[in-house]
Amino acid sequence: MERKTRIERVRTINQFAPKISSYDDRSTNTVSPVESTFENAAVKAIQSMQTTHTNILVLRQKVVVIGDYAVGKTALVQMFARGGHNFPKNYVMTLGCEFSVKTVDVPGTNVQVEMYLFDTSGQKVFNQRQMLHDYWSNTSACVFVYDVSNRDSFVALGQWLNEVRATRPGFSMPGIVIANKMDLRDANRFAVTREEGEKFAQREGFQFFETSALRHAGTEAPFNALADEFYKKYVETLKCVQENVL
């Protein structure tokens, strides 16, 4: 029988692979070791595709990061988005807004939350209300950041929160509070206690987190929590829609 071409063997691999691996007749054409290796690899590739393929649901979430200048918002976002690599060593003032994207897996599900992170300016000179309002529109969640060594940045959170809520009257804005630069607290350079931060967050209905962008400590937990809450909200909304339809 005339030897089949390599393409024909791939097409019929499930049928003939077992026979080829054990067939040894000197009166007929035999399969070379290279061809046998190719066929075995093809079988494994087909089996891999059959056993590991899953459907992925992607949810898209807009997250706005808010707070005074120099509290570490940009460093926090960059360390999270880059997986803890390339900490920005020099302070560069954010003009308007910087944009990043990060995909977060929701544990125990086939769901991924694609986060669109808007790192907004905290400088007063660039704090033009209309520009910030444009960035805050259609926001899924807010991240309020303060520097544990700068009490003014903590006090300013109330003003930032009021301004955001003024753009979304009657809408309950999901969010979290982050006490950043925990490495300075460890060095006994702090102006805000943990209890004060927790109390503020609890009063406003937010979760509270402590981070150090410099050390990449705790930088993922806040955003993972936002992704989990966003997924839960999606499930609740979907359930309500299905109940109304039925």
Side-chain angles (χ1 to χ4, degrees):
M1 180 178 63
E2 184 177 355
R3 180 186 297 181
K4 290 179 178 293
T5 64
R6 179 173 297 179
I7 295 177
E8 289 172 332
R9 286 200 181 91
V10 173
R11 291 175 178 172
T12 60
I13 195 68
N14 289 328
Q15 179 181 355
F16 291 102
K19 296 180 180 179
I20 292 173
S21 63
S22 60
Y23 192 72
D24 185 12
D25 187 343
R26 299 179 184 277
S27 63
T28 61
N29 293 329
T30 59
V31 178
S32 70
V34 174
E35 292 172 326
S36 179
T37 300
F38 171 79
E39 290 165 347
N40 290 335
V43 171
K44 291 180 180 179
I46 293 172
Q47 292 174 343
S48 175
M49 288 187 292
Q50 292 174 343
T51 58
T52 62
H53 176 72
T54 57
N55 293 322
I56 300 297
L57 173 64
V58 178
L59 306 177
R60 292 177 173 84
Q61 180 182 28
K62 179 180 178 180
V63 177
V64 176
V65 184
I66 301 171
D68 276 2
Y69 71 97
V71 298
K73 299 188 303 294
T74 300
L76 185 66
V77 170
Q78 290 183 4
M79 291 297 281
F80 168 66
R82 299 173 182 176
H85 302 290
N86 301 325
F87 176 81
K89 296 181 180 181
N90 298 319
Y91 174 70
V92 179
M93 185 168 50
T94 300
L95 307 181
C97 179
E98 290 192 5
F99 176 73
S100 301
V101 180
K102 174 75 172 183
T103 300
V104 178
D105 294 325
V106 179
T109 72
N110 65 331
V111 177
Q112 292 181 335
V113 176
E114 195 171 69
M115 283 190 170
Y116 294 83
L117 302 164
F118 288 75
D119 170 23
T120 57
S121 171
Q123 284 279 356
K124 298 301 181 183
V125 66
F126 298 111
N127 189 11
Q128 300 178 18
R129 297 296 184 266
Q130 186 57 49
M131 177 183 66
L132 291 178
H133 292 178
D134 291 341
Y135 293 134
W136 295 342
S137 64
N138 299 318
T139 299
S140 300
C142 289
V143 177
F144 296 94
V145 185
Y146 70 92
D147 175 356
V148 297
S149 67
N150 182 345
R151 188 164 188 83
D152 289 342
S153 70
F154 173 70
V155 174
L157 289 186
Q159 180 182 355
W160 286 112
L161 179 57
N162 289 335
E163 290 190 25
V164 172
R165 285 177 171 169
T167 65
R168 308 289 295 274
F171 178 77
S172 179
M173 174 66 70
I176 58 175
V177 175
I178 295 181
N180 192 33
K181 301 189 181 181
M182 288 301 299
D183 48 285
L184 297 180
R185 176 179 290 179
D186 294 343
N188 204 33
R189 294 171 54 192
F190 66 93
V192 184
T193 65
R194 177 175 183 173
E195 290 73 21
E196 288 178 300
E198 288 179 329
K199 185 177 180 179
F200 173 82
Q202 185 178 15
R203 184 177 71 241
E204 302 300 339
F206 298 150
Q207 293 187 65
F208 175 77
F209 295 89
E210 294 179 320
T211 65
S212 171
L214 176 64
R215 297 177 179 174
H216 186 45
T219 55
E220 294 187 359
F223 298 99
N224 289 342
L226 285 179
D228 291 343
E229 288 300 318
F230 188 65
Y231 168 66
K232 291 177 182 178
K233 184 65 175 178
Y234 164 79
V235 173
E236 293 174 0
T237 303
L238 184 61
K239 183 178 179 181
C240 290
V241 171
Q242 291 174 339
E243 290 177 350
N244 291 333
V245 171
L246 297 177

